[in-house]
Amino acid sequence: QVSQRDQALEEMKRQHYIAEQKRQQEQLETAQQQHHHQAQAMHAEASWRERVGTLEQRCGVEESRRVGAEVETEAAAARAAKLGAALSRCEARQVELEQLLEIETQRQRDAERERQEVTGRASLLQKQTAEVTREAEEKLSDQVRLRVKAEAERDRMRDAQERSDSAAEAARR
């Protein structure tokens, strides 16, 4: 059981390590994506400014406003997609953490059940020890009574022998 608990603990550590590596990889990917999006945004803005300048010259202010609105809409859609991806990662991490919590909860339940079993066995051993001790004390008490009885019988026999010897001695005289 200890080995199983150690294995479960090692598995939990391994899962935690894997989860940490995954989290760090996701952070790195997120940072790379943010950098990429920033670069795209800067490029898009420069491109947009260039297009706006050209359009203002060609089509006037109204057309440049329409193109600006389109660019802003595209940027908003890109931000929404980025937020959606981040939300998906968060939801996946939440599921992973819930699984780890369930594993830990089960481990604690197992440890509590094992503790109760050990306590039960200890209690049973205490009762058995008390019973054996009581029986041993009774046997010892019986042995003491028998020894006292045997000594009394030996003393009685010795007294009878001495009286018999004295009577025989007196009869000889």
Side-chain angles (χ1 to χ4, degrees):
Q1 289 178 351
V2 171
S3 177
Q4 289 175 345
R5 187 173 52 220
D6 288 348
Q7 288 175 349
L9 188 57
E10 285 301 317
E11 179 61 21
M12 250 181 46
K13 286 179 182 176
R14 188 179 75 74
Q15 291 292 334
H16 179 71
Y17 176 78
I18 289 171
E20 183 62 23
Q21 291 298 314
K22 189 185 285 185
R23 186 185 66 73
Q24 289 177 0
Q25 181 64 32
E26 287 172 355
Q27 284 179 339
L28 178 62
E29 289 173 1
T30 300
Q32 289 172 340
Q33 287 174 354
Q34 287 174 345
H35 179 71
H36 179 68
H37 288 307
Q38 286 174 344
Q40 283 181 328
M42 288 171 63
H43 178 72
E45 185 175 341
S47 174
W48 175 74
R49 288 186 191 285
E50 185 179 325
R51 284 168 54 194
V52 166
T54 303
L55 284 173
E56 282 178 343
Q57 291 172 358
R58 265 195 258 152
C59 305
V61 174
E62 202 56 43
E63 181 63 18
S64 71
R65 285 187 186 146
R66 185 188 65 75
V67 170
E70 285 177 10
V71 169
E72 284 184 25
T73 301
E74 289 172 5
R79 283 194 304 272
K82 188 169 122 183
L83 289 173
L87 178 62
S88 294
R89 285 193 303 277
C90 286
E91 289 170 346
R93 180 68 176 147
Q94 181 181 0
V95 167
E96 186 179 306
L97 289 173
E98 286 171 355
Q99 290 170 344
L100 287 173
L101 177 62
E102 182 57 36
I103 289 169
E104 178 61 18
T105 301
Q106 184 60 45
R107 188 193 66 73
Q108 288 178 356
R109 279 192 218 116
D110 292 346
E112 177 60 22
R113 185 178 63 249
E114 186 176 322
R115 186 193 64 75
Q116 289 176 353
E117 288 173 5
V118 168
T119 301
R121 285 195 300 268
S123 177
L124 179 61
L125 283 173
Q126 268 185 327
K127 288 177 185 173
Q128 290 172 343
T129 301
E131 180 67 23
V132 167
T133 302
R134 187 188 57 75
E135 289 174 4
E137 287 172 350
E138 285 176 5
K139 286 181 183 178
L140 184 61
S141 179
D142 289 346
Q143 285 178 345
V144 168
R145 268 197 305 279
L146 287 174
R147 188 175 300 130
V148 168
K149 217 179 206 182
E151 286 175 6
E153 182 63 25
R154 192 172 51 238
D155 289 347
R156 192 185 61 75
M157 293 288 282
R158 189 175 45 231
D159 289 347
Q161 183 65 40
E162 286 174 4
R163 281 195 303 276
S164 172
D165 289 347
S166 294
E169 183 69 32
R172 261 185 285 160
R173 290 189 195 150

